[in-house]
Amino acid sequence: GENVEQHPSTLSVQEGDSAVIKCTYSDSASNYFPWYKQELGKRPQLIIDIRSNVGEKKDQRIAVTLNKTAKHFSLHITETQPEDSAVYFCAACYNQGGKLIFGQGTELSVKP
Amino acid sequence: EPEVTQTPSHQVTQMGQEVILRCVPISNHLYFYWYRQILGQKVEFLVSFYNNEISEKSEIFDDQFSVERPDGSNFTLKIRSTKLEDSAMYFCASSERINTGELFFGEGSRLTVL
């Protein structure tokens, strides 16, 4: 069935280090892969997304890579800062209905 | 910047009571969604809505749930007879395009069922 697996569930890094979060998806027809950042008690906020016709996308310190053959995509955050601390969710868009299937989330902690 | 708004921000109700959560999607958006998030867990799809009808619904969205767009602006989620396990944060979302469009989420409505 439709499923998105996300790893790790928690990630702790020192300020300035890089952080990598990985996701795999099950439906090869998926063509849109957003990443959301959620601070405690707040709504998920889109930080970057990638479509299936692109292998990599970068926006300042954030980058996402997509490997359609292997059905996995990753979020890379460089030069991490304490304000990057949050829960990050990957998602995959299935079928024509626009439904997003979310991963389990990664709690990122950036220590000053 | 336009945003999705939701009311109430927090509702406490007794088990068995009906609850209506309200959402005002972004005005030029055509696709509407409800998601829920149980505390500490992932965001789960409930239902999608387009052209005044349900496009898709998940297994969670059983007969106790219904959605409606009663006028040109509001999009509501009704839970007919709440259960303890309905306690969660409910997020409304909308998008301009389908399948490859960004979903904009509201701030959420926290439902607590006692």
Side-chain angles (χ1 to χ4, degrees), chain A residues 51-67:
Chain A
R51 305 186 194 284
S52 58
N53 58 347
V54 174
E56 185 173 355
K57 182 177 178 181
K58 191 172 181 181
D59 182 4
Q60 299 182 338
R61 297 186 297 108
I62 296 173
V64 58
T65 58
L66 171 66
N67 182 329

Side-chain angles (χ1 to χ4, degrees), chain B residues 56-72:
Chain B
E56 188 172 0
K57 58 184 180 180
S58 71
E59 292 175 353
I60 303 167
F61 195 90
D62 61 21
D63 292 344
Q64 293 301 313
F65 290 86
S66 62
V67 289
E68 194 178 37
R69 189 157 160 81
D71 52 43

Side-chain angles (χ1 to χ4, degrees), chain B residues 89-104:
Chain B
M89 181 75 91
Y90 289 81
F91 290 104
C92 175
S94 68
S95 69
E96 186 178 6
R97 300 189 310 277
I98 204 166
N99 208 25
T100 58
E102 175 183 351
L103 254 63
F104 291 81

